């Protein structure tokens, strides 16, 4: 009977492909090794996107459940570490967007004691909501990669080098992505009525 392989969390990068291959074949030991080996790294990178540690942990759990469920359909990535980090990053971003949609999607009107003194506040909120809608429409002109780079740069406050590592492309490419995205956004926003942004 063939001995079952023993994996260690100290395994070098060049054996990731072997562990990944065994995991895809249903080896739970290989799957557990991937989880324990990269958990701390994923926590660190997830917290760069969101400071909510519980949300990041939930996303890591969901990510590993998804890759286990879809293991037969997965290919072997050039870098397992980069694949897991970028997959987690996208998952955290999607969760943050869902949270913001729930928070901003419905304007909570007061049901009692609605008085005239609230008018200025309501008008201000309406203008802000209109501005958010306009900016969201402007963002639609960006490619998926441009949106991702802009979000990480201006919403998560990551450096160009950190973004390059997360997206697995060169720092120069990130500069170009962000620059092109901002040019496109500026062009779209200049088409909007100026009074909407007062």
């Amino acid at each position: 009977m063939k001995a079952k392989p023993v994996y260690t969390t100290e395994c070098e990068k060049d054996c990731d492909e072997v562990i990944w291959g065994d995991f895809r074949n249903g080896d739970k030991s290989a799957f557990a090794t991937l989880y324990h080996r990269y958990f701390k790294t994923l926590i660190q990178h997830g917290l760069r996107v969101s400071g909510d540690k519980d949300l990041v942990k939930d996303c890591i759990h969901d990510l590993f459940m998804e890759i286990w469920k879809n293991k037969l359909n997965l290919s072997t990535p050039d870098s397992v570490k980069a694949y897991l980090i970028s997959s987690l990053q996208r998952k955290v971003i999607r969760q943050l967007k869902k949270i913001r949609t729930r928070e901003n999607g419905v304007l909570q009107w007061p049901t009692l004691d609605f008085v005239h003194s609230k008018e200025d506040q309501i008008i201000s909120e309406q203008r802000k909501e209109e501005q958010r809608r306009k900016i969201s429409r402007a963002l639609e002109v960006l490619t998926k990669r441009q949106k991702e780079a802009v979000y990480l740069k201006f919403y998560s406050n990551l450096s160009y080098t950190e973004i390059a590592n997360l997206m697995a492309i060169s720092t120069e490419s990130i500069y170009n992505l962000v620059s092109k995205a901002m040019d496109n956004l500026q062009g779209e926003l200049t088409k909007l009525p100026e009074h909407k942004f007062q």
Side-chain angles (χ1 to χ4, degrees):
M1 181 173 165
K2 186 177 179 181
K4 190 172 183 179
V6 177
Y7 305 106
T8 67
T9 55
E10 290 76 23
C11 180
E12 295 296 327
K13 179 178 179 294
D14 58 3
C15 77
D16 269 0
E17 288 189 12
V18 175
I19 299 175
W20 186 265
D22 290 344
F23 141 68
R24 289 183 62 227
N25 289 326
D27 190 322
K28 292 182 179 179
S29 177
F31 177 69
T33 297
L34 289 172
Y35 181 88
H36 291 295
R37 181 179 185 194
Y38 288 113
F39 181 79
K40 288 183 179 179
T41 299
L42 291 173
I43 284 286
Q44 292 170 354
H45 283 275
L47 289 175
R48 291 179 181 177
V49 181
S50 170
D52 187 335
K53 193 170 185 177
D54 288 335
L55 182 147
V56 172
K57 285 182 177 180
D58 287 344
C59 287
I60 293 173
H61 175 77
D62 290 347
L63 170 62
F64 275 88
M65 290 303 96
E66 285 178 12
I67 66 173
W68 177 259
K69 180 180 178 181
N70 299 306
K71 56 186 177 294
L72 296 178
N73 298 320
L74 297 175
S75 59
T76 300
D78 293 333
S79 167
V80 171
K81 180 179 180 180
Y83 169 80
L84 292 174
I85 290 172
S86 61
S87 297
L88 175 67
Q89 164 214 322
R90 288 191 293 271
K91 183 172 286 294
V92 172
I93 289 172
R94 284 196 297 270
Q95 283 301 110
L96 290 175
K97 287 180 178 178
K98 287 180 182 178
I99 291 170
R100 285 174 183 146
T101 298
R102 288 197 297 267
E103 290 177 346
N104 300 326
V106 179
L107 185 62
Q108 300 296 324
W109 295 97
T111 55
L112 297 172
D113 300 324
F114 184 78
V115 294
H116 187 74
S117 61
K118 295 285 186 180
E119 282 186 359
D120 289 342
Q121 180 181 347
I122 292 170
I123 292 171
S124 176
E125 287 300 319
Q126 287 175 331
R127 285 178 176 171
K128 289 177 182 177
E129 183 62 27
E130 178 67 14
Q131 180 174 334
R132 281 194 290 267
R133 286 197 295 268
K134 294 289 187 181
I135 292 175
S136 293
R137 284 199 288 270
L139 285 168
E140 291 175 4
V141 305
L142 304 184
T143 66
K144 182 178 178 180
R145 298 288 273 178
Q146 286 175 338
K147 287 179 184 177
E148 190 173 4
V150 166
Y151 182 89
L152 291 172
K153 179 61 183 171
F154 298 105
Y155 288 83
S156 299
N157 298 316
L158 299 188
S159 69
Y160 286 101
T161 301
E162 288 171 330
I163 298 170
N165 290 335
L166 283 173
M167 296 181 67
I169 57 178
S170 69
T171 303
E172 183 179 358
S173 296
I174 294 298
Y175 277 113
N176 291 336
L177 265 179
V178 173
S179 176
K180 181 66 174 177
M182 297 311 294
D183 286 344
N184 290 344
L185 276 176
Q186 184 63 34
E188 288 299 309
L189 292 175
T190 55
K191 299 175 184 177
L192 300 176
E194 185 177 352
H195 71 275
K196 295 294 184 183
F197 293 89
Q198 292 177 350

